[in-house]
Structures are given as C-alpha cells and as structure tokens.
Amino acid sequence: AQTVTQSQPEMSVQEAETVTLSCTYDTSESNYYLFWYKQPPSRQMILVIRQEAYKQQNATENRFSVNFQKAAKSFSLKISDSQLGDTAMYFCAFSIIQGAQKLVFGQGTRLTINP
Amino acid sequence: DAGVIQSPRHEVTEMGQEVTLRCKPISGHNSLFWYRQTMMRGLELLIYFNNNVPIDDSGMPEDRFSAKMPNASFSTLKIQPSEPRDSAVYFCASSFRGLNEQFFGPGTRLTVL
C-alpha cells in the first residue's frame, strides 16, 4: 500500500518570501505520478503541479516548482515570491500509473501568507 | 467546460434520514471518483468507477453507503440511514483514464444532526 506523509501541519511566511513544503511517500511501484493540490478556503481542490516519476527533470509551473528525489522518496513544493492568494491547505498526493489510478493524499499543510 | 458539478453544495439532515449526493463529471471523462474529507481522516477515496463500472469500493465505510453510475454523465452517492459521524465534505472527481489528472468538483458539505 502507498502512503504519503506531510510532516508540517502548518507554515507561515511573509508575502514575497520563498517557502518549501515537504512530502515523503512510500511505495514499491517504479512508475507513478505525484501531485500537489491546493485547497483555499473555498474548499475547491486545485491542481498546482504534477510530476511523473520516470522524468528526472523537476516540474515547474510559474512560481511553483518541485524537488523530486526518487531514491529518497521525497517530493517537496517550492513557492517563490509568495502571494496572499497562496494562503491555503496544500496536499501532496500519489497515484500509480497502471491499474487503480486513485489518489492517495497526505494530511496536508496549512500555509498562511502574511502581508 | 463547466467542470465537475456537484449538488447540493450543502446538506443538513437529521440522523436516520437518507442522503443522496449527486455528481456530473466533465464530458468525455471516463473515470469518476468519490472522496470524503474529514479533520480526523483527511481525504480518503470511497469508490471509483471506470466506464460507469465500479472498480474499487474498498473505501466505502459501511453498507449504509452505496454509489451508482447509471451513465457516463451522472453518479450518486447515497447514505441510508445517515449518522452524525458521516458529517464531512464529499468530493467527486473525474479524469480521462490514462492521464492521471483528476478534476475535482466543489464538494458537498454534509452535516448530520
């Protein structure tokens, strides 16, 4: 069974700072996807970024980037030039590629961006 | 595209009543997922369908929970009878199998008194 662990329940930074959210996972699969989802107070789940495990290059989406360390089973999210609108719960999630494509989520990190 | 549509957005009911949550996936998507979010357990998968067929319902907590997908554009999650511990936010998500990207609906906040 796959598990996803987010060790930081809460984080808080000042606007424009850079923040890194941690995520580790456990799996015996070799091919899989990793995701970061954002859940603002509206509770809508929004995909921030995804990473295919077979790709060595780290994914980036504008101010969002990941540090994917496959051997260490680590998948951190870096938010650069943080904005007030980044305030939200952030969930790390895992999905295998073949067969059951359900998402397994971590417990989430509540991120607050202060003005 | 309107995205994944869920109804109702909020539901308040009394213990013992039947509750039906509804979901319309994105047109063309062939996988549909029901998740439940609680403070204690976080986000957990209840059941998912591929091409309208239930594939994995191991997350359904009890026989009180049932889900159907009569066609590609509609799914229901029913709780009968409801209990206070069923209070949670229920999300429906859909994807096109093979792309592994799930799109979530806005969720239904269920409160069972």
Side-chain angles (χ1 to χ4, degrees), chain A residues 58-86:
Chain A
N58 289 324
T60 61
E61 288 287 342
N62 301 313
R63 298 183 294 109
F64 299 87
S65 61
V66 299
N67 183 4
F68 174 48
Q69 301 290 328
K70 190 173 184 179
K73 296 181 180 175
S74 170
F75 183 61
S76 61
L77 174 69
K78 185 171 80 171
I79 305 174
S80 303
D81 186 25
S82 58
Q83 301 175 358
L84 297 179
D86 296 333

Side-chain angles (χ1 to χ4, degrees), chain B residues 90-103:
Chain B
Y90 291 81
F91 287 101
C92 176
S94 71
S95 71
F96 183 75
R97 185 172 172 80
L99 295 184
N100 278 86
E101 181 173 341
Q102 295 183 22
F103 295 81

Side-chain angles (χ1 to χ4, degrees), chain B residues 43-97:
Chain B
L43 277 155
E44 52 182 350
L45 180 73
L46 299 178
I47 185 171
Y48 81 95
F49 297 82
N50 279 340
N51 297 318
N52 313 338
V53 177
I55 302 299
D56 182 356
D57 65 354
S58 60
M60 297 286 263
E62 306 171 29
D63 292 344
R64 298 184 297 105
F65 285 69
S66 63
K68 294 182 179 180
M69 192 165 186
N71 57 62
S73 59
F74 184 65
S75 177
T76 59
L77 178 67
K78 185 176 294 185
I79 308 173
Q80 166 63 21
S82 58
E83 297 183 3
R85 60 196 168 113
D86 301 331
S87 297
V89 178
Y90 291 81
F91 287 101
C92 176
S94 71
S95 71
F96 183 75
R97 185 172 172 80

Side-chain angles (χ1 to χ4, degrees), chain A residues 35 39 43-44 50 95, chain B residues 9 37 99-100 102 104:
Chain A
F35 306 85
Q39 186 178 40
R43 81 166 179 250
Q44 177 73 49
R50 59 181 274 172
S95 170
Chain B
R9 293 293 306 274
Q37 185 177 30
L99 295 184
N100 278 86
Q102 295 183 22
F104 283 75

Side-chain angles (χ1 to χ4, degrees), chain A residues 33 35 37 39 42-45 47 50 91 95-107 110, chain B residues 9-10 33 35 37 40-43 45 48 56 89 91 97-102 104-107 109:
Chain A
Y33 289 107
F35 306 85
Y37 278 87
Q39 186 178 40
S42 67
R43 81 166 179 250
Q44 177 73 49
M45 294 290 288
L47 179 64
R50 59 181 274 172
F91 293 94
S95 170
I96 63 174
I97 291 178
Q98 298 297 331
Q101 296 180 338
K102 62 183 181 182
L103 289 171
V104 176
F105 287 92
Q107 287 297 99
R110 183 176 301 280
Chain B
R9 293 293 306 274
H10 304 272
F33 306 79
Y35 293 90
Q37 185 177 30
M40 293 298 296
R41 300 175 65 88
L43 277 155
L45 180 73
Y48 81 95
D56 182 356
V89 178
F91 287 101
R97 185 172 172 80
L99 295 184
N100 278 86
E101 181 173 341
Q102 295 183 22
F104 283 75
R109 179 177 293 281

Side-chain angles (χ1 to χ4, degrees), chain A:
Chain A
Q2 291 82 21
T3 59
V4 178
T5 302
Q6 293 178 249
S7 59
Q8 304 152 312
E10 294 188 23
M11 295 188 72
S12 178
V13 298
Q14 296 299 118
E15 191 176 8
E17 289 184 348
T18 294
V19 60
T20 299
L21 309 183
S22 301
C23 172
T24 58
Y25 58 95
D26 189 26
T27 183
S28 58
E29 301 286 336
S30 57
N31 291 321
Y32 48 87
Y33 289 107
L34 293 162
F35 306 85
W36 279 98
Y37 278 87
K38 169 184 176 181
Q39 186 178 40
S42 67
R43 81 166 179 250
Q44 177 73 49
M45 294 290 288
I46 302 165
L47 179 64
V48 174
I49 198 165
R50 59 181 274 172
Q51 173 82 39
E52 291 86 351
Y54 58 86
K55 290 187 178 180
Q56 292 186 336
Q57 186 173 6
N58 289 324
T60 61
E61 288 287 342
N62 301 313
R63 298 183 294 109
F64 299 87
S65 61
V66 299
N67 183 4
F68 174 48
Q69 301 290 328
K70 190 173 184 179
K73 296 181 180 175
S74 170
F75 183 61
S76 61
L77 174 69
K78 185 171 80 171
I79 305 174
S80 303
D81 186 25
S82 58
Q83 301 175 358
L84 297 179
D86 296 333
T87 294
M89 283 288 290
Y90 286 82
F91 293 94
C92 180
F94 171 100
S95 170
I96 63 174
I97 291 178
Q98 298 297 331
Q101 296 180 338
K102 62 183 181 182
L103 289 171
V104 176
F105 287 92
Q107 287 297 99
T109 297
R110 183 176 301 280
L111 175 65
T112 301
I113 309 299
N114 299 308

